């Protein structure tokens, strides 16, 4: 395990949703589940974050916000779509203002379905994300060496 | 020749402090996080978590908004090492205070250099904190001179009694501002380790990757230095004072963690008012007593 997988810092954004997944994500980050055991820290600053947890779908208003947060994050970075709305826009799919899932705005690495998403699924998705983060980190290192 | 030797000693001590201070500060920070977690009924991260964090930050891509920030932060880090070197090699305390203040100012300049509103708000608050605690630190220097007749810390291990006996008021005042210095709640206005989104991340909002890693290392070394400032009150010309100083170190740090976990952040007005009142009352009375006795 490299250092990046021992200290994944998370930023969380709630798009167009019923807030159910949003509450589940925050619950999974609270002292009860103690994710700090794995070095996971909830940060409010995209520039410090490694994993971007998005709940809810993308609409005309928040697409720029999601892109902005993603752009501000420093490589290597991973995006996790939490809940069915973040994956495919879910129950809001046919609404006039909805564009779709998070992948309509930014590249998504892990899809975690559920309505609302279960805490176990969130933790599984983050662990999956850490694996991808590790791969990306290795790639970045190889690129740096090559350049 | 003597000046040259003392400069070389200080530089050597700074290099040693850069290594020892970083290692000790990292372990202290890890312990701090574990103890905080236990106080909240959690298990907490591994002891070396701060090291993992810094290693990860160094591996991150470089996206600094401009080159100036990095330069200022490197300067701040180097000045912190030098301040630690001066202090732990028994140098001039006043010089140590000035050098660490210079490091602080470099840190503030780095935040201003980014031109980000959040970062600037953090820098304003950082400046305000410096304004709040600096009078107490200067009174400590004055008190040290009045108690020992010298600004040199090398006289401490030859005293007949610890300076705590004559500088009790200043010691209590220093304990009060130590919370600001260690960046602990309720006085962590400009930046803290806990997640809160009010100012995004205050001073360090625009700092990422390697720069943020340097800030972390600076913070570790600062913690060791500031703990040294309060622990030196327990040093005198008796070997047992080392044991007492270690016990004092542990108790004071535990007390700070307890404060951190039990008090919510306060407004800046209260920080400024309370620190200045404490400084004026405790420090002022102490200095007056020293002057007339």
């Amino acid at each position: 395990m490299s250092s990046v997988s021992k200290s994944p810092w998370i930023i969380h954004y709630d798009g167009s949703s019923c807030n159910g997944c949003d509450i589940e994500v925050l619950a999974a980050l609270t002292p009860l589940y103690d994710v700090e055991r794995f070095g996971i820290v909830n940060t409010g600053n995209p520039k410090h974050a490694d994993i971007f947890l998005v709940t809810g779908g993308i609409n005309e208003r928040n697409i720029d916000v999601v892109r902005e947060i993603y752009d501000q994050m420093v490589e290597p970075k991973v995006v996790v779509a939490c809940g069915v709305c973040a994956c495919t826009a879910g129950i809001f799919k046919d609404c006039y203002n909805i564009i779709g899932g998070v992948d309509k705005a930014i590249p998504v690495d892990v899809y975690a379905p559920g309505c609302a998403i279960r805490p176990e699924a969130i933790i599984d998705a983050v662990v999956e994300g850490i694996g991808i983060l590790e791969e990306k980190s290795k790639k970045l290192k190889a690129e740096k060496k090559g350049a | 020749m003597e000046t040259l030797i003392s400069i070389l000693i200080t530089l050597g001590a700074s290099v040693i402090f850069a290594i020892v201070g970083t290692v000790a500060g990292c372990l202290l920070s890890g312990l701090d996080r574990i103890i905080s977690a236990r106080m909240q009924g959690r298990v907490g991260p591994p002891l070396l978590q701060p090291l993992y964090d810094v290693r990860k930050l160094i591996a991150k891509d470089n996206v600094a908004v401009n080159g100036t920030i990095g330069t200022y932060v490197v300067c701040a880090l180097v000045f912190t090492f030098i301040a630690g070197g001066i202090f732990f090699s028994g140098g001039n305390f006043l010089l140590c205070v000035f050098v660490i203040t210079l490091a602080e100012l470099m840190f503030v300049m780095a935040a201003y250099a980014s031109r980000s509103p959040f970062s600037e708000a953090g820098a304003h608050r950082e400046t305000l904190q410096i304004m709040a605690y600096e009078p107490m630190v200067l009174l400590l220097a004055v008190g040290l001179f009045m108690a020992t007749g010298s600004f040199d810390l090398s006289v401490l291990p030859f005293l007949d009694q610890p300076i705590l006996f004559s500088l009790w008021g200043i010691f209590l005042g220093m304990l009060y501002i130590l919370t600001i210095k260690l960046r602990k709640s309720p006085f962590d206005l400009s930046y803290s380790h806990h997640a809160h989104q009010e100012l995004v991340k205050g001073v360090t909002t625009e700092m990422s990757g390697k720069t943020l890693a340097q800030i972390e290392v600076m913070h570790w070394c600062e913690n060791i230095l500031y703990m040294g400032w309060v622990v030196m009150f327990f040093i005198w010309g008796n070997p047992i004072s080392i044991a007492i100083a270690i016990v004092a170190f542990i108790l004071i740090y535990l007390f700070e963690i307890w404060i951190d976990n039990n008090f919510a952040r306060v407004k800046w007005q209260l920080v400024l008012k309370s620190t200045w009142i404490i400084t004026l009352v405790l420090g002022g009375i102490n200095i007056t007593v020293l002057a007339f006795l």
Side-chain angles (χ1 to χ4, degrees), chain B residues 25-26 81-82 90 104 164:
Chain B
C26 175
F81 289 154
I82 296 176
E104 274 290 325
L164 179 68

Side-chain angles (χ1 to χ4, degrees), chain A residues 2-4 6-7 9 31 34 36-39 41-50 74-76 140 144, chain B residues 33 42-46 49 52-53 55-57 59-61 63 65 195 197 200-201 204-208 212:
Chain A
S2 75
S3 51
V4 71
K6 282 182 178 166
S7 132
W9 291 359
D34 191 21
E36 205 192 358
R37 274 178 301 163
F38 313 112
V41 173
N42 183 23
T43 158
N45 187 352
K47 293 200 172 188
H48 295 180
D50 306 297
V74 185
E75 291 284 357
L140 192 74
K144 263 187 194 166
Chain B
R33 282 173 73 170
R42 296 189 285 125
V43 176
Q49 188 60 46
Y52 302 148
D53 291 348
R55 267 175 47 199
K56 175 203 73 180
L57 288 171
K60 285 282 231 180
D61 216 5
V63 292
V65 275
Q197 328 215 334
V200 186
K201 198 70 182 173
T204 57
T205 302
E206 294 299 320
M207 298 169 191
S208 58
L212 191 64

